[in-house]
Amino acid sequence: MGNKAHSAVVEPKIVVEKLTQSSIDTAAGHFSLAGATPSSTTPGTLELSKKSFLVHMAPYLDETSWPKIMLERLFAVADLNNSGSFLKFEDYISLLYVIGPTGTKDEKLQLIFRLYDWDASGFITKKSMAKMMSISTGMNQVTSSWKVMVTKYD
């Protein structure tokens, strides 16, 4: 939290219109199996905690390519209400729609952009790029040669 919320790559309403009821029901089942619990703020709805999301998504993403901090970024980008602690089903289904086979190349690129746009400003700053390079390479940004590349292309 602390940053403003990202907008959805594909709005939940549009996702629901594009998916079959069977697909929505399957996603709802996965949401429940992932550990969704009744909402404390919205009666009759379920929420998936950040911890449950991280545990649920880790097996689907290669840990060497997706360290925990990247899973946390994925959570933050999917957290359309900027709660910092849970996802609503609408957040979850919108994310699955984009990262799954239904998401277009453009939608996947928009998601990747949002992962790099740490402050949801609509821009990838040099600081954000350096942070992502450090995370993805595991190298310290002060001592590594890629810092020169980021500066050169700034």
Side-chain angles (χ1 to χ4, degrees), residues 32-91:
S32 293
L33 288 172
T37 57
S39 171
S40 59
T41 58
T42 311
T45 63
L46 296 175
E47 299 172 343
L48 184 62
S49 72
K50 181 177 182 177
K51 181 180 178 181
S52 293
F53 174 84
L54 298 176
V55 168
H56 174 66
M57 293 301 287
Y60 297 104
L61 302 169
D62 177 14
E63 275 187 36
T64 57
S65 303
W66 282 81
K68 184 178 178 192
I69 195 165
M70 287 303 295
L71 285 173
E72 290 173 349
R73 276 299 298 147
L74 192 61
F75 176 88
V77 169
D79 181 12
L80 301 177
N81 294 306
N82 206 24
S83 73
S85 58
F86 66 86
L87 295 181
K88 294 182 176 184
F89 178 68
E90 294 79 16
D91 302 338

Side-chain angles (χ1 to χ4, degrees), residues 69-119:
I69 195 165
M70 287 303 295
L71 285 173
E72 290 173 349
R73 276 299 298 147
L74 192 61
F75 176 88
V77 169
D79 181 12
L80 301 177
N81 294 306
N82 206 24
S83 73
S85 58
F86 66 86
L87 295 181
K88 294 182 176 184
F89 178 68
E90 294 79 16
D91 302 338
Y92 181 78
I93 198 169
S94 292
L95 176 64
L96 291 185
Y97 180 86
V98 172
I99 65 175
T102 48
T104 65
K105 286 181 184 179
D106 185 56
E107 291 163 348
K108 290 176 191 318
L109 286 172
Q110 288 179 48
L111 177 63
I112 291 168
F113 180 88
R114 284 168 171 80
L115 290 172
Y116 277 71
D117 180 16
W118 282 79
D119 61 359

Side-chain angles (χ1 to χ4, degrees), residues 3 69-70 73 115-119 124-141 146 150:
N3 295 328
I69 195 165
M70 287 303 295
R73 276 299 298 147
L115 290 172
Y116 277 71
D117 180 16
W118 282 79
D119 61 359
I124 298 174
T125 63
K126 186 165 90 171
K127 183 178 178 181
S128 293
M129 179 61 81
K131 191 174 199 174
M132 290 300 287
M133 293 297 291
S134 179
I135 291 166
S136 62
T137 63
M139 292 189 284
N140 183 323
Q141 62 184 354
W146 60 259
V150 171

